[in-house]
Amino acid sequence: MERIRVLVVDDSAFMRKYISDMINKEPDMKVIDSAGDGNTAIEKVKSLKPDVVTLDVEMPGKNGLEVLREIKKISSAEVIMLSGLTTEGSVVTIEALSTGAFDFVEKPSRATIDQMQEMKRNLLDKIRYAWKLKNKKVNMNMSKVVTEEKYVHIEAIGKIEAIALGASTGGPKVLYDVITSLPKDIGIPVFVVQHMPAGFTKAFADRLDKNSFLRVVEAKHEDVIKPGVVYIAPGGYHMIVNPGKIILDTSPAIHGVRPAVDKLFISAAEVYKDKIICCVFTGMGRDGAEGVKAIKAKGGLTMAQDESTSVIYGMPRAAYETGCVDLVLPDHEIPKEIVKLVKQKS
C-alpha cells in the first residue's frame, strides 16, 4: 500500500515527536523527516518532496505564512497549518488559508488527554483528505476534465430577502471570493457558517470586512439583522435566525460541529420561506443537506458547489443527493448567479 509521506515542521521538539509518533502509528502514512525552523523545512521540501507538510504557524525567524509561500513556489505538497489560539496566530492562519494552505488544526491550549485526542483525530483526517486532493490535482492535470452540466435556469419567484452560505474544508478561500464579489447595494443580509474553532472566526470576519464592499461581522447573540451586513457564525456557537435578530446557542453539536450549517439553514427557512437563497460549498461530511431540504420545502432557491472546484466534495454531494438542489455551479460562477437572482426581482 502506498503510504502518505509527511514532513513535520514545528519549533517545539515535543510537538515534533508527538506528531511524528502519532502519524507513524497509522498504516497508511509515515513521517519522512521533521524540521524545527522555516529554512530547514524549505530545504527538506526541496530534497524529500513530501506529499503533505504539517506546518507550525508561529515559529522564530520565518513564520508559517512565509514558509508556506516558499513551499507553494517549489512543491505540489499540500500544507496543513498547526495554530495556537492567539490573536496573531489566528490572523496568520486565516491568511495562510487564502495563500494556499489546505486547512489548519488548532493546537491544544492545554495538553489534556481530550484536547490532544481531538487534535490527533483532526490532523490524521486532514492529512488523508489533503493527500486525496493532491492526487486529484495530478489526475486533473493529466487528463481533460469533463464536468457534467448541471445548470438549470431558475428564476426567483419573489423578492429575495436573505442569503445563507455554508462551508467547511476549503471554504475560507471560496467564501472570501464569493463575499468580496457581492456588491455594496445587495440590500439584504448574508448569513455564513464556516466550520472553524472558536477564536478563528473573528479573524476570518475581520479579513473579509477589510476586503469586501459589505460590512462583515462575527455575529453576536441578539444582533439585530440589518441589510447589507454579512454575519459569520462564531466558532463554538450555532447561529439561529429569528425574525429580526440572531440567536447564538451552545446546544449539542450536529454532525460533530458547532456551528452547523443545518441549524442556520433550517432556522432561516422558517423566517424567510421562499425569499432566501442558500449555497453549500466544499467540505467533508453532510452538514447542510437537511438544511437544503428545509429551504427547498419552503420554496427557497438552493445551490451547491460542483465537484471539480470543491476541495472536498462531501457536503455539496450530500446536498445534491437530497434531490433538492436547484443549481450546481463551479465556485467562480456562484457569486454572479446569486447577484443575478437577488437583482432579478428587487
Side-chain angles (χ1 to χ4, degrees), residues 10-20 111 116:
D10 201 295
D11 66 333
S12 160
F14 166 77
M15 287 305 293
R16 288 200 301 276
K17 183 174 189 315
Y18 177 77
I19 293 167
S20 297
M116 296 302 273

Side-chain angles (χ1 to χ4, degrees), residues 296-315:
K296 186 65 178 171
K298 295 289 185 181
L301 299 173
T302 57
M303 303 167 68
Q305 186 175 354
D306 72 353
E307 183 172 7
S308 67
T309 63
S310 292
V311 171
I312 297 176
Y313 191 57
M315 286 167 49

